[in-house]
Amino acid sequence: MQEIFSLYGWKVNRYTPIHQGLINSTYSIQTNNGTYILQSINHSIFKSPSAIDDNINAISSYLQKNYPSYLFTHLVPTLKGNTLVQWKGGFYRAFHKIEGYALSVLENEKQVEQAAMQFAGFTSVLKNFETNQLKDTLKDFHNLNLRYHQFSEAIVKGNAQRINKTKEAISFLASHKKYVDVYSRFIKHAEVKKRVTHHDTKISNVLFQKKEGIERAICVIDLDTVMAGYFISDIGDMCRTCLCKFSEEEKDLNKVVVDAAKWKALEKGYLHFMKDELSSFEKDHFFYGGQFMIYMQALRFLSDHLNNDIYYGAKYEGQNLVRTLNQIRLLEEYNKLN
Ligand code: GN1
Ligand code: MG
């Protein structure tokens, strides 16, 4: 690590890993002049780290010019002026640490509304930013047709023993293919627009701060999947991760319940910045956003389980199946809101 630190000219007092996200590794670096976040990019998933770097820099310049006070994780350049560092086969970048904390589950409606306002605010502040400047950092990331296709392959070519033991989950997901058809119609509709979309609005990707006893969401983080996309992606991952007090890791399915008041808060927070931006056809698909993402995540977790956990990894045998069953229950509970 010392070699990387010297590229930035940092005199490091202490560095500690931060356990955030399933994909990249992240460290908090305390130096003589401030604290930074150093993050490696998982190169086996993000094949083009420079696309991520270009996207974040393009947005960063736009915001600095047009909304200089918008709180954003601007990249920190090395002494040579690079914002992406290649070292021993790995890719790294640094951000100034923004004081705040991330939460993996939300306790109350106020937090949900605040978080939703941050994600909506992000898309909204960039509404005049040309989306064709953004590169696809993960091609077809939220393409539900592709995710269904990958699932269809996994249930044939995957680990035979696991396929046998997950018949019920497989048939649940196959019997809900209607969500794929809704997606296909949605993206073809003339009133549906691609905008700057975060694509990973899990609730731990919002930073909160407490000042004088008042808790506020202050900014969004983890911008690797920012690409042109559909608002249902962002609504969806919020629904998936903030309506229930227990995360996707929860094994006790009785704990997987959905809070209707939080859904209302999510809608209110999101529409605060996006109500004039979304078409009425899009607004009609607000609820579908949750179904779309919870369903897609269940497909992805089960496909990975059947493919021997090659994508998400597993800390214990069957972890991706636990996540799948959790998401299936979440979808069933979510549908009760309707
Ligand atoms: C991954 O790395 P992390 O935790 O931010 C995944 C998301 C999933 C999420 C499920 C690039 O996100 O799409 O929703 O896990 N990111 C990628 O926890 O695949
Ligand atoms: Mg992420």
Side-chain angles (χ1 to χ4, degrees):
M1 297 283 269
Q2 288 306 327
E3 279 177 54
I4 302 184
F5 298 162
S6 65
L7 293 175
Y8 286 95
W10 291 337
K11 293 212 169 26
V12 173
N13 301 326
R14 213 159 70 96
Y15 70 93
T16 39
I18 302 179
H19 300 287
Q20 189 250 342
L22 304 183
I23 306 292
N24 297 325
S25 322
T26 312
Y27 303 87
S28 170
I29 320 277
Q30 264 178 37
T31 75
N32 279 355
N33 53 19
T35 306
Y36 297 91
I37 298 293
L38 182 73
Q39 195 176 47
S40 74
I41 297 178
N42 185 330
H43 185 32
S44 63
I45 289 179
F46 292 100
K47 304 287 185 214
S48 171
S50 66
I52 296 179
D53 187 56
D54 291 345
N55 283 355
I56 299 181
N57 281 325
I59 291 175
S60 177
S61 316
Y62 178 88
L63 292 173
Q64 263 160 345
K65 191 166 157 227
N66 298 290
Y67 300 92
S69 63
Y70 181 85
L71 194 54
F72 183 73
T73 53
H74 297 286
L75 290 164
V76 176
T78 61
L79 296 174
K80 286 191 176 157
N82 301 318
T83 46
L84 182 67
V85 167
Q86 201 174 349
W87 184 71
K88 288 200 172 159
F91 291 85
Y92 298 81
R93 65 305 184 35
F95 310 94
H96 288 286
K97 179 163 182 154
I98 296 178
E99 264 333 300
Y101 47 89
L103 300 167
S104 54
V105 287
L106 300 186
E107 289 301 321
N108 59 59
E109 290 117 67
K110 201 74 215 152
Q111 291 173 327
V112 174
E113 186 183 337
Q114 284 281 312
M117 278 170 72
Q118 278 303 322
F119 284 118
F122 177 69
T123 296
S124 155
V125 83
L126 291 163
K127 64 175 183 239
N128 295 321
F129 176 92
E130 290 290 339
T131 51
N132 59 13
Q133 291 182 65
L134 293 176
K135 297 178 177 159
D136 275 352
T137 58
L138 286 173
K139 200 172 156 4
D140 286 322
F141 185 41
H142 283 181
N143 178 341
L144 191 55
N145 281 300
L146 175 83
R147 296 305 183 186
Y148 195 85
H149 174 74
Q150 290 170 334
F151 162 75
S152 316
E153 286 202 327
I155 61 177
V156 177
K157 297 184 192 155
N159 177 324
Q161 235 178 350
R162 288 186 172 189
I163 294 173
N164 247 324
K165 283 195 182 154
T166 49
K167 288 268 181 274
E168 224 178 296
I170 292 174
S171 85
F172 177 91
L173 293 176
S175 69
H176 286 71
K177 189 168 180 273
K178 61 181 181 212
Y179 297 129
V180 184
D181 307 329
V182 177
Y183 170 78
S184 301
R185 285 197 298 274
F186 178 80
I187 63 170
K188 279 188 208 123
H189 197 278
E191 272 184 42
V192 169
K193 197 172 149 184
K194 278 196 168 183
R195 303 182 177 83
V196 179
T197 303
H198 185 287
H199 286 112
D200 191 9
T201 60
K202 59 160 73 170
I203 226 56
S204 53
N205 283 334
V206 179
L207 286 187
F208 284 88
Q209 219 177 49
K210 205 171 208 169
K211 266 194 187 152
E212 289 153 9
I214 299 175
E215 189 176 50
R216 273 183 218 291
I218 54 165
C219 70
V220 303
I221 58 171
D222 193 0
L223 305 174
D224 299 348
T225 52
V226 171
M227 298 175 255
Y230 305 106
F231 90 104
I232 49 171
S233 285
D234 283 0
I235 289 297
D237 239 0
M238 279 189 273
C239 289
R240 201 179 71 75
T241 56
C242 76
L243 301 182
C244 173
K245 277 197 184 160
F246 297 89
S247 79
E248 65 198 18
E249 303 294 349
E250 181 56 55
K251 292 179 185 161
D252 180 355
L253 297 182
N254 292 325
K255 292 183 177 164
V256 182
V257 283
V258 160
D259 182 335
K262 282 186 178 158
W263 194 87
K264 278 276 151 218
L266 193 161
E267 186 184 35
K268 184 173 172 211
Y270 196 81
L271 291 179
H272 179 85
F273 286 118
M274 289 292 287
K275 66 174 179 306
D276 298 331
E277 181 52 31
L278 297 176
S279 67
S280 59
F281 181 80
E282 286 174 318
K283 283 184 191 144
D284 289 345
H285 286 73
F286 207 103
F287 187 78
Y288 170 70
Q291 297 170 318
F292 163 71
M293 277 303 294
I294 301 169
Y295 179 68
M296 176 156 60
Q297 197 59 59
L299 287 176
R300 290 178 69 192
F301 282 145
L302 187 55
S303 305
D304 201 39
H305 175 69
L306 301 180
N307 292 331
N308 297 321
D309 314 305
I310 44 166
Y311 189 85
Y312 288 113
K315 291 201 182 82
Y316 60 88
E317 169 73 22
Q319 186 174 15
N320 284 308
L321 178 59
V322 164
R323 291 165 168 160
T324 307
L325 299 178
N326 173 302
Q327 297 295 285
I328 288 178
R329 175 61 68 89
L330 185 66
L331 182 56
E332 290 173 325
E333 292 296 311
Y334 181 76
N335 281 336
K336 291 184 187 164
L337 292 179
N338 212 356

